[in-house]
Amino acid sequence: MLKTFITIAFLLTSVLCKNIILTNDDGFTATNIRSTFKALTDAGHNVLLVAPVSQRSGWSGKFDVPATKELLTDGEFGYVQKGQPSWGHEADNMNIWYFNGTPASSVSFALNYVIPQFFNSTDGKDNKTVIDKVDLVVSGPNEGTNLSPGYFTISGTIGAATSSVYRGIPAIAFSGSNSNNSFFKDSLNNDPLEPSNIYAKKVVEFVGDLFDKQGDNSVLPLGTGINVNFPKVGYESDNDGCTNPKWIFSRLTGEEASAPDVYYDEETDSIKSVTVPLKGLINCFNGDCSLPSESYIIANTTCQTSVSVFSIDYDANTELTNSVKTLLQPILS
């Protein structure tokens, strides 16, 4: 009986305890990522947080690595200071790392340096954890939404997720409607109405559901990722009413999908950046065209979270490809 119980306990642990790389573009000291790290760890997962030492919002998939072994400027909130190493970990937690790079390169740094050097065995390094494979990369939750394909060329949160999918590792980009840009030392708490805690709880719920259905396969099909956008919740929602937003399946493009554009203000004789719906983003070429866009969900509903699947195969579908091929036929060999 005891042997059976131990076997069952081991199987449950192997199913439920997954290896997760957690990153973001707001920096490794942001409240959102620290709250999510705690929630995923408390849920039993082995979480390796590796994120930029400084704010890297808007850097998309840009791939930067440190130019020097020491920081030339202070990190975000001055938590890591000029002159300290360009990468390192919390003194009291080997599972929390900073890197003087971008979100996309932070993922690669985790895979190609941190894990092989510090989590590949227990010999001589006094580690209690061995990471033999990475089950999932979680990027975020970002401080602010990342909606529609226009933000694939902007968002560092999505950049980290796509960088992971390129490498054959499933990834989810989470973004929240809160924009507190707060330091975890000042803001991390257990308040159930704090947006960062609500987002963290929902991240655990989402990845847990995927892991429950994983079986012997990858948690997501090869070459695909998920883009998730949370609404305003807790103290930032109307009357603190949204604490458990519903998951709504959506698509990246469609009605109200938007991207950055340039606007000339004649009154001030200045050039401004605006975000507007664009014709090319409203058309549906791939996927389920009946789904609402994630932009529509966040703009027109309350307490609902958009869940959109993306693919890193940027090739046009067969119909579009053949249409253009026909146009080019006279010059093609």
Side-chain angles (χ1 to χ4, degrees), residues 34-53:
R34 291 302 182 107
S35 181
T36 299
F37 175 82
K38 181 179 185 302
L40 287 170
T41 301
D42 289 348
H45 300 298
N46 178 38
V47 187
L48 177 61
L49 190 164
V50 183
V53 69

Side-chain angles (χ1 to χ4, degrees), residues 118-129:
F118 298 92
F119 293 92
N120 65 338
S121 73
T122 58
D123 298 334
K125 296 185 184 296
D126 195 28
N127 290 319
K128 296 181 179 179
T129 303

Side-chain angles (χ1 to χ4, degrees), residues 51-105:
V53 69
S54 300
Q55 174 72 248
R56 288 293 183 266
S57 293
W59 287 59
S60 186
K62 192 172 188 296
F63 205 92
D64 277 3
V65 297
T68 59
K69 289 186 177 181
E70 292 79 34
L71 294 173
L72 301 181
T73 59
D74 289 347
E76 196 74 10
F77 303 111
Y79 186 63
V80 182
Q81 298 184 341
K82 175 182 177 180
Q84 290 185 248
S86 287
W87 59 85
H89 60 81
E90 292 277 35
D92 60 349
N93 197 331
M94 279 285 296
N95 283 58
I96 300 179
W97 285 72
Y98 70 86
F99 180 61
N100 188 24
T102 53
S105 61

